Amino acid sequence: MLNLKNVLYRALPVLGVLFALLVQSVFPDSPLHPASTKHYYNFLLYILLSVTVVLFALSFFIKRIHDSLSEKGAFFAGSGILIAILNLVTAKLALLPVIFFPSYDNILAVFVEQTSLLLKCIGFSFRLLILGVIWGVITGFITGVFLGFSKKVYYWINPYIKLIGPIPATAWIPLVLTTFPTPLGASIFIIALAVWFPVQLMTSSGIQNTSKVYFEVSKTLGAGTFYQVFKVAVPAALPNIFQGVFNGICAAFIALMTAEMFGAKYGIGWYISYQKAMMLYSGVYAGLIMIAVFCTVIITALFKVRTRLLSWQKGLIKW
């Protein structure tokens, strides 16, 4: 026997898209907004409607989809209503300044009409981010291991790290741009610096909080320093290390966007800065959407890796 309440919850995403489509169809666009040659937003809504209808139908046969829609159906419906309200406030009634709040059609047109440029900017930002994160994680991990395992290193180095580490990486941009010969090298350094501090902080903290019993037992069994570090301390500190990497990734995105606004030829940050200078705010919003998707994909991938490596901690930290 069907549970009507549960069926309604699973149908909510469909109703949310229908509401957004109804607002888009019933209310005409304000003449204050530049007319779009193609109705990209309508096309997107029809795609979303098709997807939600298919998922609703599959929820009767596939338990995973059934459970997911039962849990998140209300949220998806609320998102559809929110999108429709924003559409009403901006494109339909023009209650907000038109130049700063373009219509959905004009924003989506950027993705269609400037695809090659956007892909080039994403590729440039991805290269900068990966290089900066790799260097930041490596140096942060090495520094954290030395600080966490060696009391002498901690005594001599930690006061300087406490002094330099909390300074935002972006604050070093004027100095770094005059020090490095190319904007690329300067940008990589800024991103690496942003990642380095949280990684070394959480790595050293994780190693220092490892139970001394583990080290004493391994030493009694004849383990050397290398074994104690990489077979005892580092595995025990892995949850902290991953947390440092997650914090570092978030800091890296801030540094990336800021660094690209100073001297970069391409990149998402450069694209947003360029579109803002040209007063083309549809491009600014397109850039912000790219940042959100870019960050979400990378963080989600890292959580998948973390879940696989630390399956015993599954559910303690969610994304």
Side-chain angles (χ1 to χ4, degrees), residues 27-224:
F27 296 92
D29 288 348
S30 170
L32 297 176
H33 281 275
S36 179
T37 55
K38 296 182 180 179
H39 300 293
Y40 297 110
Y41 180 52
N42 288 42
F43 182 68
L44 177 61
L45 287 178
Y46 285 127
I47 292 177
L48 291 176
L49 181 61
S50 302
V51 171
T52 53
V53 168
V54 170
L55 290 176
F56 175 70
L58 291 176
S59 69
F60 289 94
F61 308 100
I62 302 176
K63 188 177 185 302
R64 185 176 178 181
I65 298 177
H66 176 282
D67 295 340
S68 181
L69 287 181
S70 299
E71 179 185 358
K72 301 177 181 178
F75 172 78
F76 290 135
S79 299
I81 294 172
L82 177 62
I83 290 173
I85 292 174
L86 291 176
N87 186 32
L88 194 63
V89 171
T90 55
K92 304 303 181 182
L93 302 178
L95 298 179
L96 298 173
V98 171
I99 189 171
F100 300 119
F101 296 93
S103 65
Y104 290 155
D105 279 330
N106 290 326
I107 295 174
L108 293 173
V110 174
F111 291 101
V112 177
E113 298 168 5
Q114 301 183 26
T115 304
S116 59
L117 177 59
L118 292 177
L119 290 176
K120 195 170 185 176
C121 290
I122 291 173
F124 190 89
S125 294
F126 184 74
R127 181 180 66 160
L128 275 183
L129 185 70
I130 291 299
L131 290 174
V133 168
I134 289 175
W135 282 109
V137 169
I138 291 174
T139 55
F141 176 77
I142 294 173
T143 309
V145 168
F146 276 106
L147 287 171
F149 197 78
S150 174
K151 292 183 179 179
K152 290 183 178 179
V153 175
Y154 184 87
Y155 175 83
W156 287 105
I157 302 298
N158 192 56
Y160 296 105
I161 291 180
K162 285 183 177 179
L163 183 65
I164 298 174
I167 300 176
T170 52
W172 296 94
I173 286 179
L175 179 62
V176 171
L177 287 175
T178 59
T179 304
F180 281 79
T182 62
L184 177 64
S187 299
I188 292 173
F189 177 81
I190 290 296
I191 296 168
L193 184 62
V195 176
W196 163 77
F197 180 66
V199 172
Q200 72 82 22
L201 179 65
M202 296 307 298
T203 301
S204 62
S205 175
I207 292 176
Q208 289 172 347
N209 290 327
T210 302
S211 176
K212 304 301 180 185
V213 176
Y214 297 154
F215 296 110
E216 292 173 359
V217 171
S218 62
K219 191 174 182 180
T220 302
L221 296 174

Side-chain angles (χ1 to χ4, degrees), residues 217-286:
V217 171
S218 62
K219 191 174 182 180
T220 302
L221 296 174
T225 302
F226 184 86
Y227 187 96
Q228 290 183 38
V229 171
F230 292 100
K231 295 294 184 177
V232 179
V234 172
L238 271 179
N240 295 71
I241 295 173
F242 269 102
Q243 189 173 352
V245 172
F246 294 143
N247 293 336
I249 290 291
C250 295
F253 269 97
I254 298 174
L256 172 68
M257 295 303 112
T258 307
E260 285 183 344
M261 293 179 182
F262 296 93
K265 294 182 179 180
Y266 293 102
I268 303 175
W270 166 86
Y271 181 81
I272 292 175
S273 180
Y274 173 74
Q275 294 293 310
K276 180 183 177 183
M278 299 295 293
M279 298 298 288
L280 300 173
Y281 277 83
S282 56
V284 173
Y285 285 105

